[in-house]
Amino acid sequence: MEVLMIFAIGILFTVSTYLILTKSLLRVVLGVLILSHGAHLLFLTLSGLKTGAPPLLGEEAGSYTDPLPQALVLTAIVIGFGITAFMLVLAYRTYKVHETDNFDELRGSDDD
Amino acid sequence: MTNLLILPILIPLLAGVILIFFKNSKMIQRVISVIASAAMTGISGYLIYAVYNNGIQTIALGDWQAPFGIVLVADLLSVSLVFLAGILGLVTLFFAYQTFSAEREANYFHTFYLFLMVGVNGSFMTGDLFNLFVFFEVMLISSFILISMGSQRYQLQESLKYVIINTVSSMFFIAAIAYIYGVTGTLNMADLSVKIAQLYEQENSGILTVIALTFLFVFGTKSAIFPLYFWLPHSYFAPPAAIAALFGGLLTKVGVYTVMRMYTLIFNNDPIVFQILLLFGGLTMFIGVLGAVAQFDFKRILSVHIVSQVGYMIMGIGIGTPLAIAGTFYFLAHNIIVKSGLFFFAGITEKITGTTHLKKMSGLLKTHPYVGWLFFITAISLAGLPPLSGFFGKFALVIAGFEAGHYFVIAVSLATGVLTLFSMMKIFMTSFWGEEKLPDPSAKERKVGKLILPVLPLVALTVILGVAAEPFFLFSLEMGEQLTDPSYYVESVLEE
């Protein structure tokens, strides 16, 4: 199961790298979004997937699922959600002001 | 006593939330945010005293003991940086009152300034790696808003890049935390220090180097180390001078602080990382200063200089002896003060002449002599001339480098010093010295007035840190001893 997940995460990272390196504004934002999914899955996978037990450490528990990564990934997802929302608004505003979604045209300095 | 530790995080958080409800009252906003910043600074000043006398202080949040819960740790490094952040925040506020439009202040500037302080103070104080990520994000989201506030054409284009680059590096932060959690099963920094030291003794410690370098990528992006600095000069040029001063003085320094913490506490045995830190430190400072030499704009020169100064600190961490760490801290403190002071001067000249381009102004020394000479003091302090604060930081770094035998990187740092002096003098010679040439004639009569007041404490501090360097340097040396021996930190966190 872990091996399968690692491949899935690898594909997510590859796709997001491709998207971030493109010149279209919306694709870059999507790329960052996919990268965050990859990172979150990586966290869940690396700390061990389902072991068939509840996330409780009872007095006599033989096996248990580590609850910490789930709590942390939940926090990270919430943060990522907020940042994505902000990034979309900023991208839209930039598109409105510059009238382009091409990063090649979002260059140059103020003073020339 | 230990409960005081949470106040530098809690005060700005509460004040920021309260200020959301007073959007339309300028007076209340100003008063509350000044009181909050002053309280934060005062408490951290007291904490320095307490930590200096009683050793490292910790607090387990929610009474979950380390290594299971989140701890806040105040050692000399973190409380001093919180104190400096408070001072910088205060002067920035006063500068912002003079320069900001009413509209900007009405649109939650104060709230996000205070949230930024929550993030900065939290990053300095936390003893947990994931909590560090959370405070980083608090800081970054506030900085995203502060940098894009105003929505000028250029500002939007550069803040979009700033947001994307920082978000990508945050995602790698999560990945690096995932790796380190997968390997050690803990995220408490003190506990990590113990476990990773044990893991280094086994064979196959290659994975640890990979993790260390992933963290270096993350913090390197935030603190603008050599191959990852390209976003900084443009982004810091975009916002107004007060915000640029806050960012230039604090945000990259938070990155440097985390590099310092990670590689003195957790990865302090890694054989490869320190070589890489030295290499990148040298490259960062040299390429940064070359960029500054090529620029002809006040704010751009300062922005590119941030990169160069970060190089010195990374070099100090790479040398890694107690003296080098002391020098790094001294340089860091000096840089927080001087760099934001210089950004304020850029704001003042912009207010006088309406431009930051050096070729469009000249001879300001005749019309505004105080500004000119105060700038001169700050500029030569940045270049590292005695008897000002920049000299002692560099001096300690050079001596530590010689003792450790890193002659080449020291030679690079000395050459960088000369070029720094050159680019600072370029600003002074073109904009203050020489024939009077102002873009419009009314600029001559334009008074600086109260604008100069926020700069005075910063100039005074750089002079004091230079002329009365001994007590401050002894303090830094003690900090260097404390940081290079992780057992202090580990024992005071895990003993509780």
Side-chain angles (χ1 to χ4, degrees), chain B residues 125-194:
Chain B
M125 304 271 276
T126 186
D128 181 277
L129 212 49
F130 194 79
N131 201 230
L132 178 69
F133 166 75
V134 173
F135 277 123
F136 249 96
E137 292 307 302
V138 172
M139 178 181 89
L140 284 175
I141 294 174
S142 317
S143 78
F144 294 163
I145 293 164
L146 286 178
I147 206 171
S148 58
M149 196 186 257
S151 302
Q152 306 286 319
R153 226 180 126 77
Y154 184 71
Q155 223 181 347
L156 279 176
Q157 136 197 349
E158 292 309 328
S159 42
L160 186 65
K161 294 173 197 167
Y162 175 78
V163 170
I164 288 169
I165 287 166
N166 273 297
T167 313
V168 169
S169 97
S170 293
M171 293 312 146
F172 275 93
F173 198 174
I174 297 183
I177 291 175
Y179 287 141
I180 209 167
Y181 187 74
V183 171
T184 61
T186 179
L187 288 173
N188 182 290
M189 289 190 199
D191 202 25
L192 277 175
S193 173
V194 177

Side-chain angles (χ1 to χ4, degrees), chain A residues 66 72 83 98 106 108-109, chain B residues 130 137 153 157 161 181 300:
Chain A
D66 188 358
L72 299 186
I83 290 183
H98 284 262
L106 292 174
S109 62
Chain B
F130 194 79
E137 292 307 302
R153 226 180 126 77
Q157 136 197 349
K161 294 173 197 167
Y181 187 74
R300 273 188 205 280

Side-chain angles (χ1 to χ4, degrees), chain B residues 76-107:
Chain B
L76 283 177
L77 176 65
S78 51
V79 283
S80 320
L81 286 172
V82 171
F83 181 65
L84 285 167
I87 292 181
L88 181 57
L90 267 178
V91 291
T92 307
L93 276 181
F94 282 111
F95 193 81
Y97 296 159
Q98 311 286 335
T99 50
F100 276 7
S101 61
E103 195 190 3
R104 186 183 285 273
E105 261 191 83
N107 279 309

Side-chain angles (χ1 to χ4, degrees), chain B residues 22-73:
Chain B
F22 294 104
K23 177 174 183 279
N24 294 318
S25 166
K26 202 159 119 184
M27 250 356 259
I28 295 181
Q29 295 217 36
R30 288 186 173 185
V31 169
I32 291 184
S33 52
V34 166
I35 289 176
S37 310
M40 207 168 80
T41 317
I43 287 166
S44 49
Y46 174 73
L47 282 176
I48 294 182
Y49 168 80
V51 172
Y52 192 72
N53 287 319
N54 306 331
I56 298 173
Q57 305 286 322
T58 59
I59 174 174
L61 297 181
D63 212 19
W64 288 86
Q65 294 304 319
F68 303 109
I70 293 171
V71 283
L72 294 182
V73 185

